[in-house]
PDB file of all heavy atoms in Angstrom:
ATOM      1  N   THR A   5      -2.620   5.962  -1.183  1.00 90.00           N
ATOM      2  CA  THR A   5      -3.777   5.141  -0.813  1.00 90.00           C
ATOM      3  C   THR A   5      -4.128   5.330   0.656  1.00 90.00           C
ATOM      4  O   THR A   5      -5.304   5.412   1.023  1.00 90.00           O
ATOM      5  CB  THR A   5      -3.479   3.660  -1.105  1.00 90.00           C
ATOM      6  OG1 THR A   5      -3.085   3.523  -2.464  1.00 90.00           O
ATOM      7  CG2 THR A   5      -4.690   2.806  -0.835  1.00 90.00           C
ATOM      8  N   LEU A  10      -7.773   7.599   4.838  1.00 95.00           N
ATOM      9  CA  LEU A  10      -7.961   8.509   5.972  1.00 95.00           C
ATOM     10  C   LEU A  10      -8.900   9.663   5.617  1.00 95.00           C
ATOM     11  O   LEU A  10      -9.708  10.099   6.445  1.00 95.00           O
ATOM     12  CB  LEU A  10      -6.610   9.049   6.447  1.00 95.00           C
ATOM     13  CG  LEU A  10      -5.701   8.037   7.146  1.00 95.00           C
ATOM     14  CD1 LEU A  10      -4.354   8.682   7.481  1.00 95.00           C
ATOM     15  CD2 LEU A  10      -6.360   7.514   8.405  1.00 95.00           C
ATOM     16  N   TRP A  20     -21.332  12.655   9.386  1.00 97.00           N
ATOM     17  CA  TRP A  20     -22.175  12.100  10.448  1.00 97.00           C
ATOM     18  C   TRP A  20     -22.504  13.181  11.478  1.00 97.00           C
ATOM     19  O   TRP A  20     -23.651  13.336  11.894  1.00 97.00           O
ATOM     20  CB  TRP A  20     -21.456  10.922  11.101  1.00 97.00           C
ATOM     21  CG  TRP A  20     -22.329  10.134  12.033  1.00 97.00           C
ATOM     22  CD1 TRP A  20     -22.655  10.448  13.318  1.00 97.00           C
ATOM     23  CD2 TRP A  20     -23.015   8.918  11.735  1.00 97.00           C
ATOM     24  NE1 TRP A  20     -23.479   9.502  13.840  1.00 97.00           N
ATOM     25  CE2 TRP A  20     -23.717   8.549  12.891  1.00 97.00           C
ATOM     26  CE3 TRP A  20     -23.075   8.116  10.609  1.00 97.00           C
ATOM     27  CZ2 TRP A  20     -24.483   7.410  12.941  1.00 97.00           C
ATOM     28  CZ3 TRP A  20     -23.844   6.977  10.674  1.00 97.00           C
ATOM     29  CH2 TRP A  20     -24.535   6.633  11.825  1.00 97.00           C
ATOM     30  N   VAL A  23     -24.874  15.926   9.891  1.00 98.00           N
ATOM     31  CA  VAL A  23     -26.241  15.438   9.731  1.00 98.00           C
ATOM     32  C   VAL A  23     -26.932  15.348  11.094  1.00 98.00           C
ATOM     33  O   VAL A  23     -28.108  15.702  11.227  1.00 98.00           O
ATOM     34  CB  VAL A  23     -26.246  14.076   8.999  1.00 98.00           C
ATOM     35  CG1 VAL A  23     -27.602  13.405   9.087  1.00 98.00           C
ATOM     36  CG2 VAL A  23     -25.846  14.265   7.549  1.00 98.00           C
ATOM     37  N   LEU A  26     -27.838  18.861  12.070  1.00 97.00           N
ATOM     38  CA  LEU A  26     -28.918  19.350  11.221  1.00 97.00           C
ATOM     39  C   LEU A  26     -30.262  18.768  11.633  1.00 97.00           C
ATOM     40  O   LEU A  26     -31.253  19.490  11.767  1.00 97.00           O
ATOM     41  CB  LEU A  26     -28.630  19.013   9.758  1.00 97.00           C
ATOM     42  CG  LEU A  26     -29.670  19.462   8.743  1.00 97.00           C
ATOM     43  CD1 LEU A  26     -29.716  20.981   8.679  1.00 97.00           C
ATOM     44  CD2 LEU A  26     -29.355  18.885   7.382  1.00 97.00           C
ATOM     45  N   ILE A  33     -36.769  23.111  15.640  1.00 97.00           N
ATOM     46  CA  ILE A  33     -37.598  24.085  14.925  1.00 97.00           C
ATOM     47  C   ILE A  33     -39.013  23.534  14.743  1.00 97.00           C
ATOM     48  O   ILE A  33     -39.998  24.262  14.904  1.00 97.00           O
ATOM     49  CB  ILE A  33     -36.951  24.456  13.578  1.00 97.00           C
ATOM     50  CG1 ILE A  33     -35.686  25.281  13.829  1.00 97.00           C
ATOM     51  CG2 ILE A  33     -37.907  25.239  12.697  1.00 97.00           C
ATOM     52  CD1 ILE A  33     -34.854  25.522  12.596  1.00 97.00           C
ATOM     53  N   GLY A  34     -39.122  22.243  14.436  1.00 97.00           N
ATOM     54  CA  GLY A  34     -40.436  21.633  14.298  1.00 97.00           C
ATOM     55  C   GLY A  34     -41.226  21.678  15.590  1.00 97.00           C
ATOM     56  O   GLY A  34     -42.431  21.964  15.593  1.00 97.00           O
ATOM     57  N   LYS A  35     -40.557  21.397  16.705  1.00 97.00           N
ATOM     58  CA  LYS A  35     -41.234  21.473  18.000  1.00 97.00           C
ATOM     59  C   LYS A  35     -41.675  22.900  18.301  1.00 97.00           C
ATOM     60  O   LYS A  35     -42.776  23.118  18.823  1.00 97.00           O
ATOM     61  CB  LYS A  35     -40.304  20.970  19.111  1.00 97.00           C
ATOM     62  CG  LYS A  35     -40.243  19.467  19.181  1.00 97.00           C
ATOM     63  CD  LYS A  35     -39.217  18.951  20.159  1.00 97.00           C
ATOM     64  CE  LYS A  35     -39.342  19.472  21.539  1.00 97.00           C
ATOM     65  NZ  LYS A  35     -38.392  18.851  22.479  1.00 97.00           N
ATOM     66  N   VAL A  39     -45.533  24.048  18.997  1.00 98.00           N
ATOM     67  CA  VAL A  39     -45.873  24.754  20.244  1.00 98.00           C
ATOM     68  C   VAL A  39     -46.521  26.100  19.927  1.00 98.00           C
ATOM     69  O   VAL A  39     -47.499  26.492  20.577  1.00 98.00           O
ATOM     70  CB  VAL A  39     -44.620  24.926  21.123  1.00 98.00           C
ATOM     71  CG1 VAL A  39     -44.858  25.917  22.243  1.00 98.00           C
ATOM     72  CG2 VAL A  39     -44.197  23.587  21.692  1.00 98.00           C
ATOM     73  N   ALA A  43     -50.261  27.103  21.022  1.00 98.00           N
ATOM     74  CA  ALA A  43     -50.423  28.285  21.875  1.00 98.00           C
ATOM     75  C   ALA A  43     -51.420  29.266  21.272  1.00 98.00           C
ATOM     76  O   ALA A  43     -52.237  29.847  21.994  1.00 98.00           O
ATOM     77  CB  ALA A  43     -49.066  28.965  22.082  1.00 98.00           C
ATOM     78  N   VAL A  49     -59.109  30.131  22.121  1.00 94.00           N
ATOM     79  CA  VAL A  49     -60.141  29.432  22.890  1.00 94.00           C
ATOM     80  C   VAL A  49     -60.365  30.124  24.226  1.00 94.00           C
ATOM     81  O   VAL A  49     -61.515  30.380  24.625  1.00 94.00           O
ATOM     82  CB  VAL A  49     -59.758  27.941  23.086  1.00 94.00           C
ATOM     83  CG1 VAL A  49     -60.641  27.290  24.134  1.00 94.00           C
ATOM     84  CG2 VAL A  49     -59.851  27.196  21.765  1.00 94.00           C
ATOM     85  N   SER A  57     -68.144  34.866  29.048  1.00 71.00           N
ATOM     86  CA  SER A  57     -68.501  34.935  30.469  1.00 71.00           C
ATOM     87  C   SER A  57     -68.640  36.380  30.940  1.00 71.00           C
ATOM     88  O   SER A  57     -69.359  36.637  31.889  1.00 71.00           O
ATOM     89  CB  SER A  57     -67.472  34.201  31.301  1.00 71.00           C
ATOM     90  OG  SER A  57     -66.213  34.844  31.222  1.00 71.00           O
ATOM     91  N   ASN A  59     -69.956  38.814  29.122  1.00 60.00           N
ATOM     92  CA  ASN A  59     -71.190  39.396  28.537  1.00 60.00           C
ATOM     93  C   ASN A  59     -72.377  39.088  29.342  1.00 60.00           C
ATOM     94  O   ASN A  59     -72.965  38.551  29.928  1.00 60.00           O
ATOM     95  CB  ASN A  59     -71.406  38.911  27.107  1.00 60.00           C
ATOM     96  CG  ASN A  59     -70.444  39.585  26.161  1.00 60.00           C
ATOM     97  OD1 ASN A  59     -69.972  40.666  26.440  1.00 60.00           O
ATOM     98  ND2 ASN A  59     -70.173  38.924  25.055  1.00 60.00           N
TER      99      ASN A  59
END
Side-chain angles (χ1 to χ4, degrees):
T5 306
L10 289 176
W20 190 280
V23 168
L26 180 66
I33 290 171
K35 281 173 54 175
V39 167
V49 167
S57 65
N59 286 335

